[in-house]
Amino acid sequence: MINLKRTYTAPTSLEKEKNKKSGTYNQEDVVELLEHDFKNKCYLFGTKSNSFEIEHLKSHKGNLDLKFDWDNLFLSCKHCNNTKGDRFDNILNCMNEDVEDCISCELEPFPKATVKIKPFKDDILVKNT
């Protein structure tokens, strides 16, 4: 997870879709702006992918305000979106927080892949991330 900056003019389709009975946030203008803001990378892994999905930082669970909230929409690879699901709502927001100031992550690939994560802050969001 790396720190990024969001475009703060929400796509116009979000408000229109929110007012529809079966509206969807997966609109062309939303996808294009998310791809731009996230530099075509998954916000959790930081890798490029062919199968991006729109992920909600905080699961909406039917709440239309959260479902269509521009600040709650993130670009995620399919793997990360499925892994995170709605089980991990209270994590760092990489658009508001410099994650590298909060967490250290080291990958030791040999002889067996090992990931070492060290928190720099005693904070529930850091621990959950």
Side-chain angles (χ1 to χ4, degrees):
M1 189 183 283
I2 58 172
N3 185 250
L4 298 162
K5 300 295 177 210
R6 180 180 298 277
T7 300
Y8 272 101
T9 302
T12 56
S13 68
L14 286 176
E15 194 61 36
K16 291 177 188 174
E17 291 295 313
K18 180 180 174 182
N19 293 318
K20 292 180 180 178
K21 187 174 184 172
S22 314
T24 177
Y25 49 83
N26 197 7
Q27 298 294 313
E28 187 175 335
D29 61 342
V30 174
V31 172
E32 285 178 10
L33 205 47
L34 286 174
E35 287 175 345
H36 172 267
D37 288 357
F38 287 90
K39 301 176 183 0
N40 290 309
K41 294 181 180 181
C42 171
Y43 85 103
L44 290 167
F45 261 5
T47 56
K48 293 193 176 202
S49 172
N50 310 13
S51 60
F52 283 118
E53 296 180 344
I54 297 176
E55 150 75 0
H56 291 86
L57 184 67
K58 293 187 181 198
S59 56
H60 59 83
K61 299 180 182 172
N63 178 327
L64 289 179
D65 291 330
L66 278 177
K67 183 176 181 179
F68 291 95
D69 180 1
W70 177 235
D71 291 325
N72 196 36
L73 301 177
F74 287 70
L75 193 66
S76 174
C77 68
K78 193 172 202 160
H79 171 78
C80 286
N81 192 18
N82 289 335
T83 301
K84 179 184 171 285
D86 63 357
R87 297 180 307 271
F88 302 103
D89 279 349
N90 294 314
I91 64 172
L92 291 171
N93 180 337
C94 62
M95 294 298 211
N96 298 336
E97 187 86 37
D98 192 343
V99 177
E100 292 177 358
D101 288 343
C102 301
I103 298 172
S104 162
C105 182
E106 295 177 24
L107 173 63
E108 295 179 8
F110 299 104
K112 183 178 177 183
T114 306
V115 177
K116 293 182 180 179
I117 299 172
K118 177 183 172 188
F120 294 138
K121 295 181 179 181
D122 185 25
D123 178 90
I124 191 67
L125 295 178
V126 172
K127 289 178 183 177
N128 289 345
T129 302

